Structures are given as structure tokens and as C-alpha cells.
Amino acid sequence: MHIDIITVQPDLLASPFSHSIMKRAQDKGLLTVQVHHLRKWAINEYGQVDDYQYGGGAGMVMMCEPLANAIEELSTERKFDEIIYLTPDGKTLNQKTANMLSLKQNLLLICGHYKGIDERIREKYVTLEISIGDYVLSGGELAAAVLVDAIGRLIPGVLGDETSALTDSFQDNLLAPPVYTRPVEWNGMKVPDVLMSGDHKKIEDWRYEQALQRTKERRPDLLRDH
Ligand code: 6GU
């Protein structure tokens, strides 16, 4: 998979993809991420990419021309499966959307800043609008980093243990069960006996029950779709 990201704050996206699982995905050649500074497509020598909004009001709007030129140029290099705009008024990201996007070849992410991007760019180019939750960030960059991480680890072959993404929280609209490691007793608290029984069927049943219980208590809303 190749992911292009258009931003006015490339520094914010310099390091998140060079660690851990994201690094492994790139080292294995399964994921490449390219960050593009929108200034490259600025309309004048001052590097202008935003302007005042029609109708008045505080806050700048990212202009059509630089964005359109960036999108058009990158589209000559790659055929994008989705052009995604990160915005608080987009569809809230969930595991189902991450799964769907992890099977694509080429994605283009557009990070909004200030008051966002001119509506006409959304109309003409954007195929999917994503928010990462009901709170406001200063820009789309951290949301883009979250999205790339959520997608990247799901790309077939990225995770060493192929089954481990399948047992993540949310993968079946269930939260993950509790986990334990050594020592068997710590601060008077013991690891549940069943986990040391060696009975794989019993362990699997226990984990499922725990996951169900935890989801009922913490996220009953998820059980509707389970
Ligand atoms: Cl995608 N962008 C911004 N600016 N804020 C957000 C968001 C995105 N998702 C949640 N809050």
C-alpha cells in the first residue's frame, strides 16, 4: 500500500511512522508513506495556501487552487482508491472502516487546518471524510497519523503473528479480555487458574466470556452489532 499525505505541517508527520509496527510494515515493503508539503503548490511567492472566508468570520480557509494542483499532480503518479479528508465533521473512524481501507492500494489523505478546506474541493475530489472522535484537534495531522497506524497494522503480512489482529479489541465489536504475564502472584493478586490449565478450549471460552462481560459493562453500545 502507498499512502500520500498532503499537509501544511509536515513536521507533525515526520516521526510517527518510523517506529514499531509502522516501521516493520515499511521495512517489509508492505507500506510506503509520503508526506507532501502543500506549500509546494502555493499560488504565489509568499507561499500562500489559505485565505479569508467569504461571508466573514474568524479563521482562514485552505484555498482550492493549491489543493487541486496537488491532487491533480499526485493523481498522474497514482490511481487513488480513496481520497480521504480528515475532518471533525467526517464519519467517525471505526475498526470496520480500518479493515476496509487496509485492503486498498493507494490512498491520498488531506489534512485540514484553520477552518478547513474550501467546500468545492470536498465536492470535486474527496471520496471519504473521516473524523477520529467527537473532540476538536488543531489540525488533521494527528488524525491522519492515527488513521495510518490503524490501517497499516491490518495490511496482510504486517503483523508477525497473523492471528493477533483478529483478537484485538473491536475486531468483532467486542473489547479484548484481560491479559497476564509473569509472575503468577504479584501483590497478593493471582493469575486466573484457567490460564495455566493448558486446556486451550477452556481458555478460549474463558477469554470470550471475559470479553463479553467487559463489553457489557463498558461499551454496551457495541453489542448491538456483535
Ligand atoms: Cl480528522 N480533524 C480535526 N481537526 N479534529 C478532529 C478530527 C479531525 N477528528 C476528531 N477531531
Side-chain angles (χ1 to χ4, degrees):
M1 178 187 296
H2 185 81
I3 302 179
D4 290 289
I5 308 178
I6 299 173
T7 172
V8 290
Q9 300 250 271
D11 292 356
L12 277 176
L13 292 166
S15 89
F17 314 124
S18 18
H19 306 282
S20 181
I21 292 169
M22 289 300 96
K23 182 169 187 305
R24 188 174 340 149
Q26 297 186 75
D27 290 347
K28 283 185 174 176
L30 297 170
L31 173 67
T32 46
V33 180
Q34 221 178 325
V35 178
H36 306 273
H37 199 330
L38 184 62
R39 294 249 183 265
K40 185 177 160 195
W41 292 277
I43 58 156
N44 57 31
E45 63 199 273
Y46 309 110
Q48 189 181 354
V49 293
D50 59 346
D51 210 336
Y52 297 99
Q53 57 176 318
Y54 280 116
M60 307 292 275
V61 174
M62 288 165 72
M63 307 168 74
C64 288
E65 280 174 277
L67 280 168
N69 289 336
I71 296 166
E72 294 286 351
E73 184 179 324
L74 294 172
S75 296
T76 64
E77 294 169 31
R78 280 172 283 287
K79 166 91 188 72
F80 293 112
D81 298 301
E82 301 279 2
I83 297 182
I84 302 170
Y85 175 43
L86 284 308
T87 176
D89 62 359
K91 176 182 171 344
T92 309
L93 180 63
N94 59 25
Q95 198 63 26
K96 188 171 169 223
T97 303
N99 284 336
M100 180 274 285
L101 292 173
S102 73
L103 301 174
K104 305 292 185 186
Q105 282 309 306
N106 292 293
L107 300 177
L108 175 59
L109 274 46
I110 301 170
C111 302
H113 240 268
Y114 323 111
K115 282 286 164 191
I117 69 176
D118 191 297
E119 185 68 20
R120 292 166 291 187
I121 292 295
R122 299 169 74 158
E123 270 179 40
K124 182 167 165 65
Y125 294 108
V126 172
T127 60
L128 183 60
E129 302 190 326
I130 290 180
S131 159
I132 63 163
D134 292 341
Y135 43 84
V136 179
L137 302 169
S138 315
E141 285 75 15
L142 296 181
V146 166
L147 179 62
V148 171
D149 191 299
I151 294 171
R153 59 193 297 287
L154 293 172
I155 297 172
V158 168
L159 291 183
D161 179 354
E162 270 308 297
T163 62
S164 92
L166 299 176
T167 56
D168 284 344
S169 275
F170 295 109
Q171 204 60 37
D172 316 295
N173 278 304
L174 277 187
L175 301 182
V179 292
Y180 300 87
T181 185
R182 289 189 294 177
V184 70
E185 187 173 341
W186 177 79
N187 261 26
M189 294 180 279
K190 268 206 76 195
V191 174
D193 286 334
V194 58
L195 295 178
M196 286 164 303
S197 68
D199 184 336
H200 296 296
K201 173 77 173 73
K202 245 170 86 183
I203 292 171
E204 195 187 315
D205 290 348
W206 180 86
R207 285 184 171 148
Y208 179 73
E209 277 311 314
Q210 291 287 315
L212 202 56
Q213 192 55 38
R214 193 158 269 204
T215 311
K216 268 184 200 157
E217 285 166 15
R218 301 181 185 194
R219 293 294 306 276
D221 58 298
L222 291 176
L223 289 175
R224 257 188 314 113
D225 299 320
H226 168 61

